[in-house]
Amino acid sequence: NLNLSTPINYKLGPGDKLVISIWGASQKTYTSSINREGVLRLPNIGPVLVNGLTIEAATSKIKGVLKRLYKGLEAPENSPYRVNLGVSLASVRTVQVNIIGEVNTPGTYSLSSLSTVLNALYAAGGPSNKGTFRDVKLVRNGQETVSFDIYKYLTQGSQEGNIVLRDQDVIIVPSYLSRVSISGSVKRPGLFELKPTETLNNLL
């Protein structure tokens, strides 16, 4: 679902399309996509480098540039010459993510740049029967960036490790280390994956 508000920590990049709205004493709407150099080109304004910036930081930078054309951006709130500015994300770029290891459908996926580790796992059909739910690894620029524990998400709603993906990220689902079967008078009998440091109490 792309009808979402842009996350605060979302970083802009080539392919994102921005809508810049001017209203008040002056009215104007600019729609422009960020090019491969990470630059936003606005008519009669010139290039604005926004690659890697959040929406908030990009808004501040765009406002600084537009002040040359719209003096009302610096006017007091109650001034009849006041000009307001808003920047929103019209459409998002896609990122290429490689999902390997013990997943049902490993491969390279084109996903929305708003996607997270969990969205990518869903696209790949989730861990296979041999795959771990406790230590899903995200490798970025050759370095392991985070480890995502799906159990924590399912039992506590924890989003730790479920970060927004970037282009060329690699998600690795290793084999599980140990599984324990529990049956009898418990609410969820079945197979459970335990980490080496966890005990019977954690299982219960």
Side-chain angles (χ1 to χ4, degrees):
N1 180 15
L2 298 182
N3 295 317
L4 303 169
S5 59
T6 307
I8 295 174
N9 60 347
Y10 178 77
K11 293 186 177 181
L12 298 171
D16 286 333
K17 180 184 286 187
L18 297 180
V19 175
I20 302 164
S21 302
I22 301 288
W23 73 95
S26 297
Q27 295 192 13
K28 179 76 173 179
T29 299
Y30 299 93
T31 302
S32 181
S33 295
I34 302 172
N35 65 18
R36 292 182 179 179
E37 288 73 42
V39 170
L40 198 66
R41 294 191 178 275
L42 304 176
N44 304 318
I45 301 296
V48 184
L49 182 64
V50 295
N51 186 49
L53 299 181
T54 62
I55 285 287
E56 184 179 8
T59 300
S60 178
K61 190 167 187 177
I62 292 168
K63 184 176 182 179
V65 173
L66 289 178
K67 281 178 182 178
R68 302 197 300 264
L69 191 62
Y70 299 96
K71 300 297 183 182
L73 286 170
E74 298 180 292
E77 290 286 346
N78 56 353
S79 170
Y81 304 105
R82 172 72 179 177
V83 174
N84 302 289
L85 178 142
V87 178
S88 59
L89 200 57
S91 62
V92 296
R93 64 190 185 276
T94 58
V95 293
Q96 297 284 327
V97 179
N98 296 293
I99 307 173
I100 59 177
E102 299 294 345
V103 290
N104 284 306
T105 315
T108 301
Y109 289 81
S110 295
L111 303 171
S112 155
S113 57
L114 293 174
S115 300
T116 64
V117 174
L118 197 60
N119 297 137
L121 288 174
Y122 180 83
S128 67
N129 289 334
K130 296 180 181 178
T132 180
F133 275 68
R134 307 302 309 275
D135 188 23
V136 177
K137 302 178 188 298
L138 174 67
V139 176
R140 179 172 291 168
N141 298 324
Q143 300 290 328
E144 184 179 330
T145 304
V146 295
S147 173
F148 180 41
D149 186 344
I150 302 175
Y151 274 24
K152 279 189 176 181
Y153 173 77
L154 294 174
T155 60
Q156 303 171 24
S158 172
Q159 295 278 358
E160 181 182 353
N162 188 31
I163 64 173
V164 175
L165 300 173
R166 295 184 189 174
D167 195 46
Q168 300 306 315
D169 278 350
V170 178
I171 294 174
I172 304 173
V173 180
S175 300
Y176 70 87
L177 289 179
S178 63
R179 281 179 179 165
V180 176
S181 175
I182 185 168
S183 60
S185 298
V186 291
K187 291 182 178 178
R188 295 188 182 93
L191 289 172
F192 289 84
E193 187 179 346
L194 294 184
K195 291 184 175 181
T197 57
E198 291 179 329
T199 67
L200 178 61
N201 284 334
N202 298 120
L203 174 64
L204 292 174

